[in-house]
Amino acid sequence: MTAPETGRGIAGLPGFPDPAGAEGGLRSLKAPGTFRILHVSTGNVCRSPITERLTRHALADRLGDPGTGGLIVESAGTWGHEGAPMETHAETVLADFGADATGFVGRELLDDHVIRADLVLTATRDHRAQVISMGHSAGLRTFTLKEFTRLVRAIDPATLPDPEGADGVVERARALVRAAAALRGWLLAPNVEADEVYDPYGAPLPFFRSVGGEIQQALDPVVTALTGVPAARA
């Protein structure tokens, strides 16, 4: 399935900001007062649905409502099964964490998804490369999930906007992405596998649960940094 040429070429060279103002052009296409997070994997039936729904669940826990603060969480797949439900084992993993799997529909990654995303978090480095190759100045806002977690841990929360301030969570999230992008060349992964979330498609439930645990662990500091609210501890 071929993605439409929605906005292709706005950003000049793929993955890099256009000095003529591509970043401003992309910003104009985004809904004001919102910050859109896009999770990307291959089929959009295992890893990215788990990550999407765990992110929504964590935001609801921290903020009281999934839509509070203008954060929008979505997912898509580079070879997405358009219209497909998520895998049954993925639903089970979400239930383990108390997250809601209902109403999910798989999507193939399109240009429009990348254009409108303020932050793209991918399962693997290969997915990250595929997103960046689509252009739209995606390079400065696309990370693997584990890469972003590593960078976020190095950012002093005191340097980010107050989520309770006038600009709220959205401006804090935008500042977090800028800070992470600035650190990327300085905080490298300790090994090739460190930034990967491996595909559990076709694997037994225990492997799905292992992957779900990896995703949950990686998401916790990210959601804390985005919202300024740590997770409640039992």
Side-chain angles (χ1 to χ4, degrees), residues 27-50:
R27 180 66 58 83
S28 70
L29 296 174
K30 304 178 190 298
T34 63
F35 183 90
R36 193 175 296 265
I37 302 169
L38 177 66
H39 293 295
V40 175
S41 63
T42 303
N44 195 215
V45 292
C46 297
R47 289 167 292 180
S48 51
I50 291 172

Side-chain angles (χ1 to χ4, degrees), residues 84-196:
M86 74 174 75
E87 287 288 295
T88 301
H89 287 342
E91 292 183 348
T92 300
V93 168
L94 291 175
D96 289 345
F97 288 103
D100 185 11
T102 60
F104 179 83
V105 178
R107 304 191 304 175
E108 182 174 8
L109 181 67
L110 302 178
D111 289 64
D112 188 59
H113 301 148
V114 176
I115 290 169
R116 295 184 183 279
D118 297 283
L119 172 62
V120 183
L121 297 176
T122 70
T124 69
R125 293 170 300 142
D126 183 60
H127 296 131
R128 181 184 64 194
Q130 290 180 67
V131 171
I132 293 173
S133 74
M134 295 172 74
H136 317 303
S137 296
L140 296 178
R141 51 197 166 90
T142 302
F143 309 79
T144 75
L145 171 62
K146 289 185 176 181
E147 173 192 23
F148 194 66
T149 300
R150 182 176 68 254
L151 298 172
V152 161
R153 288 184 185 277
I155 297 169
D156 182 355
T159 65
L160 301 172
D162 183 353
E164 300 295 329
D167 295 322
V169 174
V170 167
E171 282 308 309
R172 181 183 179 90
R174 289 176 180 157
L176 184 68
V177 173
R178 291 193 296 269
L183 284 173
R184 177 151 40 193
W186 300 94
L187 292 176
L188 302 179
N191 53 64
V192 173
E193 291 77 23
D195 286 344
E196 306 282 294

